[in-house]
Amino acid sequence: MRAWAIANQKGGVGKTTTSLCLARGLATAGNRVLLLDLDPHASLTRAFEVPADPPPSGTHDLFNGSASGLLELARYTHIPDLQLVAAQPALATLERRGATQPGLGLALGRALHTVRDVYDYVLMDCPPTLGLLMVNALAAADRLIVPTQTDPLALHGLADMLRTAEMVERSRRRPLPRHVLPTLFDRRTRTGVQSLYELQDRYGDRVWPHAVPMDTRLRDAASLVKADPPDGRGVDMYRRALKWLLETEASGDARKEAA
Ligand SMILES: Nc1ncnc2c1ncn2[C@@H]1O[C@H](COP(=O)(O)OP(=O)(O)OP(=O)(O)O)[C@@H](O)[C@H]1O
Ligand SMILES: [Mg+2]
């Protein structure tokens, strides 16, 4: 099983859309995929139109001991091989408890360990804040995918996120490979094009050498979930991004085996 965290401390950069498109692509390719919604705002959960608001069970239960594990929280979706653990608003209260309750930072990693034979991929959609939920996801992840908008402000947000990842990597003493996915790219604007070049200059082969364009068909996550199959230029570019991520994963594995 591979765990991918999709995170950026900056909001509105395409984390949820990326989580959804990559998870769907992995499931379509025959992988057993679990999506974890770790954002108290629950955009991903809403996109799947999970009944009951707030959902009676979800990712918050992993932190309060009321559920024995991920398996009983995972819901089937109408997409074959794709399951979801919903977000509950109570997630928002966790950050405060995390500071006083030792061991809470590793709760997610422990939960993932118990399902390592059940899923091929677990994708974690993180909230746009550096707190207990994001740290849990980074501590548990085999790799970090950072969607980033292509504008100068977003480049600052990206630098912050990569620094956080480095800190987590040092404390867990296990490499955390990181990949940058340029999103919401508008090639008609000069700042968009310049920011994309700057990203590539600064971060080299950590950056996917393309970008997901602005595409109105990616504007609404719920219709993206319903579309069968989803289509459009944005979705096509996410398919290409997934191919690149799988290739870099495979070459990382090959390097590890050779070492
Ligand atoms: N490539 C795209 N083209 C057009 N709209 C997009 C694209 N990617 C995402 N969007 C839209 O932009 C908004 C923000 O995207 P998304 O929710 O995926 O970002 P996020 O980083 O998860 O946000 P948050 O930090 O609030 O969780 C959403 O309305 C989404 O549907
Ligand atoms: Mg989101």
Side-chain angles (χ1 to χ4, degrees):
M1 188 193 82
R2 309 294 172 110
W4 293 0
I6 293 88
N8 192 330
Q9 287 157 233
K10 192 171 183 308
V13 296
K15 295 179 290 295
T16 299
T17 309
T18 300
S19 304
L20 185 56
C21 289
L22 296 182
R24 198 158 178 176
L26 285 165
T28 305
N31 295 290
R32 296 162 300 170
V33 183
L34 179 65
L35 262 173
L36 298 186
D37 190 350
L38 294 176
D39 188 346
H41 288 118
S43 318
L44 189 60
T45 301
R46 272 201 298 272
F48 280 95
E49 295 175 353
V50 169
D53 187 16
S57 72
T59 42
H60 180 259
D61 298 327
L62 293 171
F63 297 89
N64 65 7
S66 68
S68 55
L70 272 177
L71 274 185
E72 70 183 56
L73 302 176
R75 300 151 191 271
Y76 287 99
T77 68
H78 75 278
I79 300 168
D81 289 322
L82 182 62
Q83 295 185 9
L84 169 78
V85 182
Q88 299 148 289
L91 280 175
T93 62
L94 266 180
E95 307 294 350
R96 225 175 351 170
R97 279 181 43 211
T100 54
Q101 210 166 315
L104 217 52
L106 300 174
L108 197 51
R110 281 196 292 269
L112 289 188
H113 195 67
T114 63
V115 294
R116 64 191 184 283
D117 297 326
V118 181
Y119 299 103
D120 299 302
Y121 285 91
V122 175
L123 269 59
M124 299 173 269
D125 182 20
C126 293
T129 38
L130 172 55
L132 179 76
L133 290 160
M134 191 193 285
V135 168
N136 254 276
L138 297 186
D142 297 303
R143 50 170 47 195
L144 164 66
I145 296 158
V146 190
T148 185
Q149 262 173 298
T150 39
D151 66 51
L153 251 179
L155 294 189
H156 290 294
L158 173 62
D160 291 342
M161 185 64 234
L162 293 176
R163 261 195 302 276
T164 302
E166 249 171 63
M167 263 165 42
V168 172
E169 187 178 59
R170 272 201 299 276
S171 76
R172 73 180 204 167
R173 299 200 192 99
R174 183 162 68 94
L176 177 58
R178 11 202 195 274
H179 309 281
V180 177
L181 284 194
T183 55
L184 289 146
F185 176 58
D186 185 354
R187 68 187 162 90
R188 293 163 307 178
T189 65
R190 228 170 59 159
T191 48
V193 176
Q194 272 171 354
S195 300
L196 188 59
Y197 284 139
E198 207 173 319
L199 268 178
Q200 287 160 350
D201 267 3
R202 225 187 267 183
Y203 300 108
D205 58 12
R206 275 189 187 170
V207 184
W208 179 46
H210 303 281
V212 178
M214 290 278 204
D215 179 348
T216 47
R217 276 166 290 192
L218 292 181
R219 252 194 210 141
D220 174 29
S223 41
L224 201 56
V225 167
K226 279 193 211 116
D228 189 23
D231 64 351
R233 176 125 180 89
V235 168
D236 280 347
M237 289 309 275
Y238 270 118
R239 285 194 190 105
R240 288 177 66 176
L242 176 60
K243 190 164 170 273
W244 176 77
L245 286 165
L246 293 173
E247 282 165 5
T248 54
E249 188 168 66
S251 65
D253 289 349
R255 267 200 306 278
K256 252 190 260 161
E257 267 165 37

